[in-house]
């Protein structure tokens, strides 16, 4: 059996592919997607990294390019042309691996923990070790590596992973750690939540005090 050699995809091509994979699960009633829906998904301001502003013509060109390796299929029938992805068949991947690639294409490099959370609507992984297992399979894939583990960033506790559908990812130069970034690395999610709650409580108390002062000033006939 001859293995299909995939071309190196552009950012917009991976965005189109990622949106199709995502919307298949999140809005199944409107999948396959129309061109308008696909453009909106590509330019979405949430759950996307980096943010882009692609035109309808640019998205259509990306779709046409992805038809070559059969990664995208066009649905016939109906007044509006619709598009669907074909990643599972072309790359011979299970739904778990497609979910991971989808989130990497849409949000950029992430840790295994972040991937588990961000894949929740596409596939629910039992634990981080399950995510790591499928990532390793994608990295060791005989027909071509699809993900790579990036060097750990200064102050980070986990390595991030990136997809290779657009070629080797750019490795960010390590930034000099500032005291604030070092502090943030040592603060847990629970501690951050507690700090935010304290700030909110203090802000509420300040507002209450302002109201009392304003009332007293009004009764005494002085300006606050």
């Amino acid at each position: 059996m001859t293995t299909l050699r995939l071309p190196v995809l552009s950012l917009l091509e991976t965005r189109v592919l990622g949106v199709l994979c995502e919307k298949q699960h999140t809005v199944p009633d409107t999948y396959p997607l129309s061109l308008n829906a696909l453009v909106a998904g590509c330019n979405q301001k949430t759950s996307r990294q980096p943010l882009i502003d692609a035109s309808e013509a640019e998205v259509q060109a990306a779709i046409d390019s992805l038809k070559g390796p059969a990664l995208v299929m066009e649905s016939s029938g109906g007044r509006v042309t619709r598009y669907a992805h074909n990643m599972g068949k072309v790359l011979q991947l299970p739904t778990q691996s497609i979910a991971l690639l989808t989130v990497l294409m849409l949000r950029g490099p992430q840790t295994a923990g972040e991937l588990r959370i961000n894949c929740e609507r596409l596939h629910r992984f039992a634990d981080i070790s399950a995510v790591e297992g499928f990532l390793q399979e994608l990295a060791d894939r005989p027909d071509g590596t699809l993900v790579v583990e990036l060097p750990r960033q200064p102050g980070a506790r986990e390595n991030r992973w990136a997809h290779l559908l657009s070629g080797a990812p750019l490795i960010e130069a390590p930034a000099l750690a500032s005291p604030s970034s070092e502090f943030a690395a040592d603060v847990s999610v629970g501690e951050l939540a507690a700090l935010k709650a304290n700030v909110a409580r203090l802000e509420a108390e300040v507002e209450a005090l302002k109201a009392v002062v304003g009332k007293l000033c009004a009764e005494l006939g002085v300006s606050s």
Side-chain angles (χ1 to χ4, degrees):
M1 178 179 170
T2 304
T3 302
L4 174 65
R5 186 176 182 84
L6 288 175
V8 176
L9 305 181
S10 68
L11 169 62
L12 183 53
E13 288 168 350
T14 59
R15 180 62 57 86
V16 166
L17 200 55
V19 169
L20 288 172
C21 294
E22 176 193 58
K23 301 303 183 184
Q24 179 185 18
H25 296 277
T26 58
V27 286
D29 292 342
T30 58
Y31 183 86
L33 300 183
S34 66
L35 178 59
N36 285 342
L38 196 44
V39 171
C42 288
N43 296 336
Q44 191 173 304
K45 302 306 180 186
T46 58
S47 305
R48 301 289 184 266
Q49 183 61 37
L51 297 179
I52 64 173
D53 186 18
S55 67
E56 187 173 295
E58 289 170 333
V59 172
Q60 184 65 65
I63 292 171
D64 294 339
S65 178
L66 289 167
K67 288 180 184 177
L71 287 168
V72 167
M73 302 177 298
E74 183 177 316
S75 299
S76 57
R79 292 183 299 174
V80 178
T81 303
R82 295 182 177 275
Y83 304 94
H85 77 88
N86 194 30
M87 279 189 68
K89 185 175 180 180
V90 172
L91 299 178
Q92 298 181 356
L93 296 174
T95 56
Q96 296 94 324
S97 298
I98 293 175
L100 291 171
L101 284 173
T102 297
V103 174
L104 288 172
M105 286 189 288
L106 294 178
R107 296 176 179 244
Q110 295 157 78
T111 66
E114 290 170 334
L115 284 168
R116 184 191 177 203
I117 294 171
N118 293 331
C119 280
E120 188 74 15
R121 299 177 70 190
L122 310 181
H123 179 83
R124 184 169 295 179
F125 289 93
D127 48 39
I128 293 179
S129 62
V131 174
E132 292 171 336
F134 280 100
L135 286 171
Q136 203 57 56
E137 285 185 10
L138 287 168
D140 298 336
R141 185 170 171 268
D143 293 339
T145 301
L146 292 177
V147 299
V148 63
E149 190 172 10
L150 302 176
R152 186 169 301 184
Q153 294 182 312
R157 296 179 180 179
E158 297 180 65
N159 288 352
R160 298 181 304 159
W161 291 79
H163 74 83
L164 294 174
L165 292 169
S166 296
L170 294 174
I171 306 298
E172 300 172 4
L176 293 176
S178 63
S180 59
S181 64
E182 290 174 359
F183 169 76
D186 293 332
V187 177
S188 68
V189 174
E191 290 169 330
L192 283 175
L195 287 171
K196 289 180 179 179
N198 285 335
V199 170
R201 177 178 57 80
L202 290 172
E203 288 177 343
E205 289 178 358
V206 169
E207 290 301 319
L209 287 172
K210 285 182 178 179
V212 171
V213 171
K215 186 177 180 180
L216 289 173
C217 289
E219 291 176 352
L220 296 173
V222 297
S223 59
S224 57

